[in-house]
Amino acid sequence: FNRINIEVLSVVAQQIMCIMAALSAKSSEFMFEGQMIKLKLTVGLFITMNPGYAGRTELPDNLKSMFRPISMMVPDNIIIAENLLFSDGFTNTRNLARKVFTLYELAKQQLSKQYHYDFGLRSMVALLRYAGRKRRQL
């Protein structure tokens, strides 16, 4: 939603209002853009916005009023690594997690910045899962 034109956001707001009206009425089907669509009453609608993002479009008031703002935090990679290691039966997990985190931070800072190198959380989790599989094979 960060770079969508305000005119498009206005159309999206109307479409979301249509879906939310059907949810409020607890309808199993509703008319959407000229077609009958089945509706699961357990559906959830979410919008992701990045504050401070260059070129960000502000949400129109009618769309903003339909959603509750929440804040996200940067995950603590050391705690995540520690728990993954612990769940795979490693001992001294706090020390190992710090070492893995430091390795990834140094790689991120000192190695090539090419886009195909990934030293983020997803890559670290994949490495730790691999370590867990190898440990179980022993």
Side-chain angles (χ1 to χ4, degrees), residues 62-126:
N62 61 345
L63 188 54
K64 199 184 292 185
S65 67
M66 290 186 249
F67 294 91
R68 275 184 281 184
I70 61 166
S71 297
M72 302 294 283
M73 294 174 49
V74 175
D76 188 333
N77 292 359
I78 295 175
I79 292 174
I80 293 169
E82 186 178 349
N83 281 289
L84 284 168
L85 289 165
F86 186 76
S87 69
D88 282 324
F90 285 90
T91 57
N92 196 16
T93 56
R94 182 164 291 150
N95 192 27
L96 288 172
R98 260 193 223 104
K99 287 180 180 183
V100 170
F101 175 74
T102 302
L103 171 72
Y104 267 76
E105 284 301 302
L106 289 171
K108 199 182 299 183
Q109 293 167 8
Q110 296 178 5
L111 297 179
S112 175
K113 303 288 185 222
Q114 294 178 14
Y115 74 93
H116 56 272
Y117 292 116
D118 177 20
F119 301 108
L121 178 60
R122 185 174 293 149
S123 172
M124 186 180 77
V125 167

Side-chain angles (χ1 to χ4, degrees), residues 8-51:
V8 175
L9 285 175
S10 184
V11 172
V12 169
Q14 294 299 316
Q15 292 171 333
I16 290 174
M17 275 198 259
C18 179
I19 295 167
M20 291 179 90
L23 282 171
S24 294
K26 297 189 184 320
S27 302
S28 60
E29 291 186 337
F30 71 107
M31 185 64 71
F32 184 79
E33 301 279 316
Q35 290 185 325
M36 283 303 281
I37 295 181
K38 291 183 180 181
L39 179 65
K40 293 193 179 228
L41 297 177
T42 57
V43 70
L45 299 169
F46 304 90
I47 295 176
T48 306
M49 301 288 290
N50 298 327

